[in-house]
Amino acid sequence: MPMRKDTEKNDKEDQSSTEMSLQADQIQRAALPSHLHSNKEEHTENAYATPPVQPIPYTIFTSSHRRVITLILILTMLASPLTATIYLPLLPLLAAHFHVSLQAINLTLTLYIVFQALSPLLFATASDTFGRRPIYLVTFFVYALSSLGLALNRKSYPGLLALRALQSLGASAVLAIAYGVIADLCVPSERGSMQGPTMGAANLAVCIGPLVGGWVALGSGSYEWVFWCLVIYGGLIVTIVGLFLPETARSVVGNGERQIRWWGKTWWNLAMARRRDQREVGLVTDWSMDKEMKEDRKLTPEESAGAKQSFRLPNPLAALRIIFWRDTALVLWLAGSPYAIWYCVQASIPPIYKETYGFNEFQIGLAYLTGGFGTVLGGYANGKIMDWNYRVTARQIGHTVDEVSGDDLNHFPIERARARGFWYILVIYIGALAGYGWAVECHAHESIPLTLQFVLAAICTAFQQTFNALLVDIFPASPSTAAASGNVTRCALSALAVATLQPMVDGIGRGWYFTLLSILSGGGGIVANCLIITRGMTWRHQRLNIVEVN
């Protein structure tokens, strides 16, 4: 009983003490000035306020990562132009070696273009589903094996046809996949800065290829070493991609934070992880056991989402559907027709400089250099101009560019930003193309057509680079598939243009032939450019509404 009384007494004392403390605090708060009193309340509220939500970055890849990936893309993108152009000076040697006509050897060119169009339909579309990295490895493995077969083939003309088609299949998807990688890593306002050096430097192969092929044809009188060089190149690219190129496809890794299975990681990271695990744990010494442990581990939700996305079967016809929308058809014309024109100019170089100016094989190879320099400089400069046009368009409409998460292009006139200023370029393009034909027709000094080749190469590169970027912009969910549709279009137009080249030149002469091309490509480009600026965004929204309804 005494203890109970003491406890009650202590509780009463504690309660009175608490009441006195509260009264003292109220008196102190009342004595404070009003502005300090409100500041104290605001500070208390801010202490419990929810912190601002940080924007999700478009990608976690740093600038140093992008520089390494850009270098790898440059090396991979040498495959298609190098393989196509290094072959051109070898045509007479191949005809003599296989004891067939030059027309029969030209069939290998046609077959190469056909598979150049088919390859992106298969592999670029698959890269949007399975990822960029495994498709790169598969295509370059096919490329290296077919190049090895061509180097070893000494007697079979049907073997030449089949292996050349297989070589094209392995080499021709890299451009469309590269556009996908750039879209994975760069927000729309910065894609030109990565496309410029990538596309410009890769186009250097356009002039290196004929030079190497012409040197081999003139010096050795044999063709095998050309294909052996391509074997070495293909094996080197398989090694570099396997060791250092990370997976970037947003359908697989998101912005780079989503974890993926071992097959999507670089060989270098796998080796370092395995070495680290062995050093820290000291238990796993067998690769098969390590593999089983990783596969038995329960996947996180992000990993499960990536796995389910990766094994969805791609539709190779998806790229063909893109061609028939109104907005994309115009973009494809502006990206494809200048490429076809430049292909015609390149195909016309050997007969022009051999018959008109008396060049030998090596000098003909040197004649490709001006065009190669034009593609490099034009690609680099146009990349800077693309980003500048984007910022100017954003300022004109009062839009603040989001360089962290990327802009929502559903509410941004990306067509107007990309097509800005091409009126002037189209006028120069028409004049340079017609002037090239008439300079050759009138036997002008060789410096004139060589200079015009430089101008045409720079302009055609700018068209291809800008409007392929626009094609990726308006199909953000499947950038490589969109780029594949561009590849199909330009290959079809190139095949048509090359097929009509010699008959038209024989019929109306080079002057009128290139004038006709300038009217079709340049005049059609003016109309397409006008419609893209004025109606492109409206047609894009209509297309998206139709897709959502279906």
Side-chain angles (χ1 to χ4, degrees):
M1 292 297 292
M3 291 181 61
R4 183 176 180 181
K5 291 180 179 180
D6 291 342
T7 304
E8 292 177 352
K9 182 178 179 181
N10 291 336
D11 291 343
K12 290 180 180 179
E13 290 178 356
D14 291 340
Q15 183 177 2
S16 62
S17 175
T18 303
E19 291 176 352
M20 290 177 63
S21 298
L22 292 173
Q23 289 176 358
D25 184 65
Q26 291 175 356
I27 293 172
Q28 185 178 3
R29 287 169 61 85
L32 289 172
S34 59
H35 69 279
L36 294 179
H37 179 70
S38 60
N39 286 343
K40 186 174 181 180
E41 290 179 347
E42 290 176 1
H43 177 74
T44 303
E45 292 176 358
N46 290 335
Y48 294 96
T50 303
V53 179
Q54 296 295 328
I56 299 175
Y58 186 81
T59 180
I60 65 170
F61 290 98
T62 64
S63 298
S64 59
H65 289 147
R66 287 200 294 268
R67 283 193 290 270
V68 173
I69 294 173
T70 299
L71 179 59
I72 296 175
L73 290 184
I74 290 173
L75 294 176
T76 61
M77 284 165 42
L78 294 175
S80 184
L82 180 66
T83 308
T85 57
I86 201 173
Y87 190 78
L88 296 176
L90 304 178
L91 298 181
L93 285 177
L94 292 169
H97 182 86
F98 288 98
H99 306 289
V100 295
S101 66
L102 191 58
Q103 183 178 359
I105 292 297
N106 285 339
L107 183 59
T108 63
L109 297 177
T110 305
L111 200 61
Y112 188 93
I113 294 175
V114 170
F115 279 85
Q116 196 175 36
L118 293 177
S119 178
L121 291 178
L122 300 174
F123 295 117
T125 304
S127 75
D128 284 332
T129 302
F130 297 111
R132 319 293 181 205
R133 175 182 163 79
I135 302 303
Y136 265 131
L137 291 173
V138 169
T139 54
F140 272 100
F141 186 73
V142 171
Y143 175 82
L145 284 181
S146 58
S147 299
L148 178 62
L150 286 167
L152 297 175
N153 180 34
R154 301 293 179 87
K155 298 180 180 179
S156 175
Y157 171 72
L160 176 67
L161 290 174
L163 290 170
R164 184 65 175 168
L166 197 61
Q167 190 183 46
S168 177
L169 192 69
S172 301
V174 293
L175 180 63
I177 300 174
Y179 274 107
V181 174
I182 293 171
D184 295 334
L185 299 179
C186 299
V187 296
S189 60
E190 298 178 353
R191 285 174 186 169
S193 61
M194 189 172 181
Q195 278 188 2
T198 303
M199 304 299 172
N203 282 329
L204 188 63
V206 175
C207 62
I208 293 178
L211 186 61
V212 173
W215 177 74
V216 171
L218 182 66
S220 67
S222 179
Y223 66 90
E224 288 91 347
W225 275 108
V226 171
F227 293 126
W228 278 114
C229 290
L230 298 180
V231 172
I232 296 171
Y233 164 74
L236 181 64
I237 294 301
V238 169
T239 304
I240 292 174
V241 169
L243 284 173
F244 303 117
L245 182 65
E247 182 55 66
T248 64
R250 302 182 72 82
S251 61
V252 178
V253 298
N255 66 349
E257 293 180 341
R258 185 186 301 166
Q259 296 296 318
I260 56 175
R261 295 290 188 97
W262 62 269
W263 49 264
K265 299 177 181 179
T266 64
W267 298 342
W268 177 265
N269 287 340
L270 285 174
M272 293 298 101
R274 177 172 168 77
R275 182 179 179 184
R276 183 172 58 252
D277 292 342
Q278 290 179 350
R279 184 172 60 249
E280 293 178 356
V281 180
L283 296 175
V284 179
T285 57
D286 181 67
W287 167 249
S288 61
M289 185 185 300
D290 188 20
K291 177 181 177 183
E292 291 175 2
M293 290 175 62
K294 291 184 178 180
E295 290 184 347
D296 290 340
R297 177 179 58 86
K298 185 178 180 180
L299 296 177
T300 64
E302 291 80 6
E303 291 173 323
S304 299
K308 291 178 182 177
Q309 180 74 15
S310 298
F311 288 98
R312 187 184 65 205
L313 290 177
N315 181 8
L317 299 180
L320 295 179
R321 288 202 299 265
I322 293 175
I323 298 174
F324 299 100
W325 295 106
R326 284 183 295 181
D327 57 329
T328 54
L330 298 173
V331 176
L332 288 169
W333 174 258
L334 282 169
S337 66
Y339 177 88
I341 297 303
W342 178 238
Y343 204 92
C344 278
V345 171
Q346 286 185 300
S348 68
I349 286 176
I352 285 175
Y353 288 95
K354 188 175 184 64
E355 298 170 5
T356 305
Y357 299 105
F359 283 18
N360 61 32
E361 284 81 0
F362 184 68
Q363 290 173 326
I364 290 173
L366 292 175
Y368 284 91
L369 286 177
T370 58
F373 293 144
T375 59
V376 173
L377 295 178
Y380 181 80
N382 186 67
K384 302 293 184 182
I385 294 172
M386 282 174 61
D387 289 348
W388 182 72
N389 282 339
Y390 191 100
R391 293 191 294 269
V392 169
T393 304
R395 282 199 303 268
Q396 289 175 347
I397 64 173
H399 173 79
T400 302
V401 177
D402 186 352
E403 297 181 354
V404 177
S405 301
D407 294 319
D408 182 5
L409 297 183
N410 287 330
H411 307 288
F412 184 83
I414 187 63
E415 293 86 356
R416 175 177 156 191
R418 298 302 189 208
R420 184 178 182 273
F422 269 86
W423 296 101
Y424 311 106
I425 298 177
L426 281 163
V427 172
I428 299 173
Y429 171 65
I430 292 173
L433 185 56
Y436 176 78
W438 287 110
V440 175
E441 184 76 17
C442 298
H443 298 261
H445 191 270
E446 58 264 27
S447 61
I448 296 177
L450 288 172
T451 302
L452 291 174
Q453 284 172 211
F454 173 86
V455 175
L456 287 170
I459 291 176
C460 292
T461 300
F463 272 104
Q464 183 187 358
Q465 182 175 316
T466 300
F467 290 100
N468 272 323
L470 176 56
L471 196 62
V472 169
D473 291 332
I474 60 180
F475 288 92
S478 52
S480 288
T481 302
S485 68
N487 193 85
V488 171
T489 304
R490 65 187 178 91
C491 288
L493 292 174
S494 299
L496 179 63
V498 171
T500 59
L501 171 62
Q502 199 57 48
M504 292 289 289
V505 168
D506 293 339
I508 61 176
R510 291 191 174 93
W512 285 112
Y513 173 71
F514 284 104
T515 300
L516 179 62
L517 290 182
S518 69
I519 295 172
L520 291 175
S521 180
I526 290 176
V527 175
N529 193 72
C530 176
L531 290 174
I532 285 174
I533 293 175
T534 58
R535 301 287 296 166
M537 188 174 182
T538 302
W539 288 343
R540 169 161 55 97
H541 288 162
Q542 292 175 357
R543 168 172 55 82
L544 293 175
N545 291 334
I546 292 173
V547 171
E548 289 177 1
V549 170
N550 293 335

